[in-house]
Amino acid sequence: MRFSLNPNAPDKRLLDESRRTRAMTWIMAIMLFLTVLAGALGLGMFTATAQLDRQLAGRLTVQIVEPNTQIRDSQAAAMVAALARVPGVTRATEADRARLAELLKPWLGDAGLDPDLPMPAMIDVEMRGGDVGAVERAARAIDPNARIDRHAQWLAPVRSFMSTMSWFAVGLMLLIAAATATVVLLAARAGLDTHRDTIEVLHMLGSTDLQIARLFQRRIAFDTLAGGLLGSGAALGVVWFLQSRMGALGSEMLSGVALQQRDWFLLLLLPIGFALLATFAARISVLRALAKTL
């Protein structure tokens, strides 16, 4: 074991021969790999939830269920004109009935294309800062039996699930951070036991507890950062691959889960954050241990 005789310049290689310390690099690589995956899941879900909220805010569908086609058509035309005049309504258009028939074909077969088959008129309404109650009153003034469906209400279970997954990812990241701090504490204490004799010599030569603690925190910070960069790089590669596969599916909902530029930047900061966390944990652990035992 080599160490410096200068108390003001403790040996930086004090921990280089510890197998536990070398194992820290791989442990941190695994920790950061899982953390980046959890962070990508959380950020993607938060982005998708926000996008879903923007898309569903003020989106309504008004249905006119009338078997008489002439009455239904006249009510639909009057409904579109009336809803367009409601304050806050930015768009009110009747859905293409041929398109509706195509959508019903998997369930009704060719019968869905039968012109004699009664089909409700559906009017899509988009609002921005208006009163939904005013839309409902205007619709029922023309057809008391009109059905008003809010898109947000339809997809409320989906949004709830996405929000739950977002906070689950946050909780998982906090759990991994706590586990990382615990591993660092154990590694620091194991390093103290392994190098106890050398530390006693350094104390006799005039080294302070703070100088010795710096040796441990420097080494652990290096191992954490090296392992973190390795694990983060692997995780970011997995995230990029999965995102490219989701983009190939062409799903509008899944495309909302895609990470934005700021999300990639935040994920890249995780190795630095974990290195700082490990450094702080090692410093506190070593100083407390030295104060009690040496």
Side-chain angles (χ1 to χ4, degrees), residues 9 12 17 20 40 55 110 118 124-125 150 180 182 213 249 270 281:
K12 297 181 180 180
E17 298 178 7
R20 292 186 180 88
Q55 291 178 347
D110 293 334
D124 292 328
V125 180
R150 302 184 184 184
T180 301
T182 303
L249 295 176
L270 286 176

Side-chain angles (χ1 to χ4, degrees), residues 60-63 132 135-136 139-140 146-150 153:
L60 306 171
T61 298
V62 180
Q63 296 186 45
V132 176
V135 174
E136 295 179 353
R140 293 205 166 95
R147 300 176 183 175
I148 295 90
D149 297 319
R150 302 184 184 184
Q153 187 175 3

Side-chain angles (χ1 to χ4, degrees), residues 272-294:
I272 300 175
F274 268 65
L276 294 175
L277 172 65
T279 302
F280 178 76
R283 182 185 184 89
I284 297 300
S285 176
V286 172
L287 287 176
R288 288 182 178 179
L290 291 174
K292 292 179 180 179
T293 61
L294 298 176

Side-chain angles (χ1 to χ4, degrees), residues 1-43:
M1 177 69 65
R2 294 167 41 193
F3 56 88
S4 174
L5 295 178
N6 183 357
N8 295 320
D11 187 5
K12 297 181 180 180
R13 298 175 57 85
L14 179 63
L15 299 181
D16 286 352
E17 298 178 7
S18 172
R19 293 183 178 180
R20 292 186 180 88
T21 302
R22 289 198 298 269
M24 279 286 292
T25 302
W26 297 106
I27 293 174
M28 290 303 163
I30 296 173
M31 291 292 190
L32 264 297
F33 179 82
L34 297 176
T35 303
V36 171
L37 290 182
L41 173 63
L43 291 173

Side-chain angles (χ1 to χ4, degrees), residues 248-291:
L249 295 176
S251 172
E252 183 177 354
M253 180 170 292
L254 288 178
S255 64
V257 186
L259 298 181
Q260 306 299 318
Q261 185 175 359
R262 70 176 187 280
D263 299 331
W264 290 101
F265 177 73
L266 292 175
L267 293 177
L268 289 174
L269 291 179
L270 286 176
I272 300 175
F274 268 65
L276 294 175
L277 172 65
T279 302
F280 178 76
R283 182 185 184 89
I284 297 300
S285 176
V286 172
L287 287 176
R288 288 182 178 179
L290 291 174

